[in-house]
Amino acid sequence: MPSELFCNVRKKAKEDENLNMTLEQAFHHIEESARGSDSEENFSGLFDDIDVNSNKLGATVAKRNEKLVKLLDGVGEMKLGNYQDNTIDAFGDAYEYLMSMYASNAGKSGGEFFTPQEVSELLTRLAVAGKKEVNKVYDPACGSGSLLLKAAKILGKDHVRQGFFGQEINLTTYNLCRINMFLHDIDYDKFDVAHEDTLVSPRHWDDEPFEAIVSNPPYSIKWEGDNNPVLINDPRFSPAGVLAPKSKADLAFIMHSLSWLATNGTAAVVCFPGIMYRGGAEKKIRQYLIDNNFIDTIIQLPGNLFFGTSITTCIMVLKKSKSENKTLFIDASKEFVKITNNNKLTDENIQKIVSVFVSREDTQYFSRLVSNPEIAEQDYNLSVSTYVEPEDTREVIDIKALNKEIAEIVAREQVLREEIDRIIAEIEVDE
């Protein structure tokens, strides 16, 4: 309805005593407008988490409406211009910026659904390296969709031919993701985001395989694992012959991503470092991945990159069609600049990592291409520090010079001691 257009609602907002109800009705009508159409699923429940009657906005309806007027005016005064005339997506990027600010101030809860932009940039550049277009982009734990949208920005949304696919278990975050897609001008028929547990109820069987997979799944969460007798026969997990531990689902996400990866595709997944060296079922899964030559690269990232956690994470890059039986290890732990309380990857840091990823060259203290038999000899340990020698930045000590200095100190000490003894002897004589 014309009366529910943003410009018209804002124009009457200050005089509208029922502004909260006006907005609630507008949100409802937006969802209703898609009912019975192809876009119904993408609009259904889109605004369920928006509560214009929340006490957080004010103790009374009048106070809440006063705050809503300020919000409407704030958005209305943004110089966004016409979307078609801009080379940047100002509104969508502003939305992502606000989410990043929320995530940085919300601690762990914020970090659960937002991956920092520079990490998204690195993951996506790894996944699409050497390509100008891909068939589809997929994220099995898509959060607010920042990784999917980064692919649209790097390649251009028209160069992701069949669209953007993701799944998210948290309802609020799932709605954020869908809103994020619309704000970045991704049409309803170019994205398919589902709400459910990816590991036990994947929703895109009919859409895989995917040429680019990018993901930052939750670290070491619990899952059903071998408590569910069906999962060991699931084609995503069964090839490894064992399931990821019930208390640590990390490698279940890796196996899921590998299973749905296209033969010519690349998956780049942020990982908790423990999966690189722990024993038991996780070691057996690593052995499966190495023996079948599915791991392309392991990248050690700097610590303190993510909101709400200071742990040092890694990236595992998976491919199904490698030309060599080797795995590249990159130690990027020093590739950052410090910004307030967090570390940040710069464009130069990202370029250095991607460049070595593509060239697969050995670089002292930074990268090493290791044969898979050597990894097997190391008991399938995938920690970067096992293969890339860190630079020794300790001060070099000249032993000869040091010994000479010590000898001079000892000689000086002896002279002082003799002088003290002489003074004491003179004092004793005077007494």
Side-chain angles (χ1 to χ4, degrees):
M1 294 174 60
S3 63
E4 292 176 346
L5 290 173
F6 176 85
C7 58
N8 293 330
V9 172
R10 183 194 174 199
K11 189 184 301 181
K12 299 177 181 178
K14 287 184 180 178
E15 288 73 40
D16 188 352
E17 294 181 357
N18 298 309
L19 178 60
N20 57 333
M21 298 305 297
T22 300
L23 289 170
E24 191 169 279
Q25 187 175 49
F27 293 143
H28 176 70
H29 286 163
I30 290 173
E31 293 183 15
E32 283 291 311
S33 67
R35 184 156 297 184
S37 70
D38 293 339
S39 62
E40 178 176 355
E41 186 177 341
N42 286 324
F43 281 89
S44 178
L46 190 61
F47 301 107
D48 281 355
D49 292 292
I50 297 179
D51 184 3
V52 290
N53 294 303
S54 170
N55 286 333
K56 293 179 181 178
L57 291 171
T60 64
V61 171
K63 289 286 185 184
R64 292 196 279 273
N65 285 349
E66 185 180 328
K67 188 68 66 66
L68 290 169
V69 168
K70 289 181 179 178
L71 288 169
L72 288 170
D73 286 342
V75 173
E77 289 166 8
M78 292 180 182
K79 294 179 174 58
L80 300 174
N82 188 317
Y83 178 85
Q84 307 301 331
D85 298 332
N86 287 306
T87 56
I88 62 169
D89 177 11
F91 199 79
D93 287 352
Y95 176 77
E96 288 227 344
Y97 175 77
L98 289 173
M99 285 200 298
S100 72
M101 290 300 98
Y102 167 76
S104 64
N105 291 309
K108 184 178 179 182
S109 63
E112 283 178 353
F113 72 87
F114 192 85
T115 303
Q117 285 292 311
E118 65 274 11
V119 179
S120 297
E121 179 91 12
L122 173 58
L123 279 175
T124 309
R125 289 200 176 281
L126 293 170
V128 302
K131 296 184 178 181
K132 294 184 177 179
E133 63 175 23
V134 296
N135 69 339
K136 310 168 190 173
V137 178
Y138 173 65
D139 185 346
C142 63
S144 58
S146 61
L147 281 168
L148 295 173
L149 290 166
K150 187 60 72 173
K153 183 166 287 189
I154 290 174
L155 290 175
K157 65 177 183 176
D158 293 333
H159 293 159
V160 181
R161 298 189 305 274
Q162 296 172 42
F164 306 83
F165 298 78
Q167 190 161 334
E168 173 56 41
I169 194 171
N170 180 285
L171 178 61
T172 300
T173 313
Y174 160 69
N175 287 331
L176 282 174
C177 182
R178 293 190 294 166
I179 292 172
N180 210 4
M181 290 291 160
F182 287 125
L183 288 177
H184 283 83
D185 200 39
I186 306 296
D187 294 335
Y188 75 89
D189 58 343
K190 287 298 293 286
F191 77 87
D192 185 340
V193 178
H195 171 233
E196 189 48 88
D197 185 337
T198 299
L199 297 181
V200 296
S201 300
R203 288 292 185 256
H204 294 102
W205 283 110
D206 295 334
D207 302 302
E208 57 95 6
F210 302 100
E211 197 172 338
I213 297 178
V214 283
S215 190
N216 177 23
Y219 311 138
S220 299
I221 61 166
K222 296 179 181 178
W223 76 306
E224 293 182 13
D226 56 18
N227 279 349
N228 184 337
V230 174
L231 290 176
I232 192 58
N233 295 314
D234 188 305
R236 297 171 297 158
F237 309 124
S238 59
V242 65
L243 296 172
K246 292 190 291 289
S247 60
K248 301 176 183 69
D250 309 69
L251 282 169
F253 281 105
I254 292 292
M255 290 297 296
H256 167 80
S257 297
L258 176 65
S259 177
W260 283 15
L261 183 63
T263 305
N264 64 333
T266 303
V269 184
V270 179
C271 301
F272 184 79
I275 70 167
M276 301 298 175
Y277 57 80
R278 288 188 299 236
E282 290 181 309
K283 176 189 169 184
K284 292 179 181 177
I285 295 174
R286 291 198 305 274
Q287 180 174 352
Y288 164 76
L289 294 171
I290 289 296
D291 286 351
N292 288 277
N293 201 26
F294 290 136
I295 298 181
D296 181 86
T297 305
I298 303 290
I299 302 169
Q300 178 68 61
L301 293 176
N304 210 27
L305 284 178
F306 293 85
F307 302 120
T309 179
S310 61
I311 63 170
T312 305
T313 55
C314 309
I315 294 175
M316 183 182 290
V317 181
L318 302 166
K319 289 185 179 180
K320 285 184 173 177
S321 301
K322 291 170 59 182
S323 60
E324 57 193 1
N325 192 34
K326 296 179 180 178
T327 301
L328 180 65
F329 290 86
I330 299 175
D331 182 0
S333 58
K334 301 293 190 295
E335 296 297 313
F336 68 91
V337 294
K338 190 164 185 62
I339 306 291
T340 61
N341 294 327
N342 280 86
N343 295 330
K344 183 181 177 70
L345 294 167
T346 65
D347 291 342
E348 291 75 17
N349 297 143
I350 292 171
Q351 182 55 44
K352 180 178 178 181
I353 295 167
V354 174
S355 177
V356 172
F357 167 74
V358 172
S359 69
R360 303 184 73 74
E361 293 178 350
D362 286 2
T363 306
Q364 189 176 28
Y365 309 130
F366 187 70
S367 63
R368 184 174 166 227
L369 191 60
V370 181
S371 70
N372 288 342
E374 181 180 339
I375 296 173
E377 290 173 5
Q378 292 289 345
D379 214 20
Y380 297 97
N381 185 326
L382 296 180
S383 297
V384 172
S385 59
T386 303
Y387 306 98
V388 181
E389 178 189 1
E391 183 177 5
D392 188 349
T393 57
R394 294 174 298 179
E395 183 183 357
V396 177
I397 304 297
D398 186 332
I399 297 300
K400 289 183 178 179
L402 180 61
N403 284 336
K404 182 181 178 183
E405 185 179 344
I406 291 173
E408 290 172 352
I409 291 171
V410 170
R412 177 63 177 158
E413 184 183 52
Q414 184 59 35
V415 171
L416 292 173
R417 193 172 295 280
E418 291 173 355
E419 185 69 17
I420 291 170
D421 289 343
R422 184 185 62 77
I423 293 171
I424 291 173
E426 289 177 355
I427 291 172
E428 290 176 342
V429 169
D430 290 344
E431 290 179 350

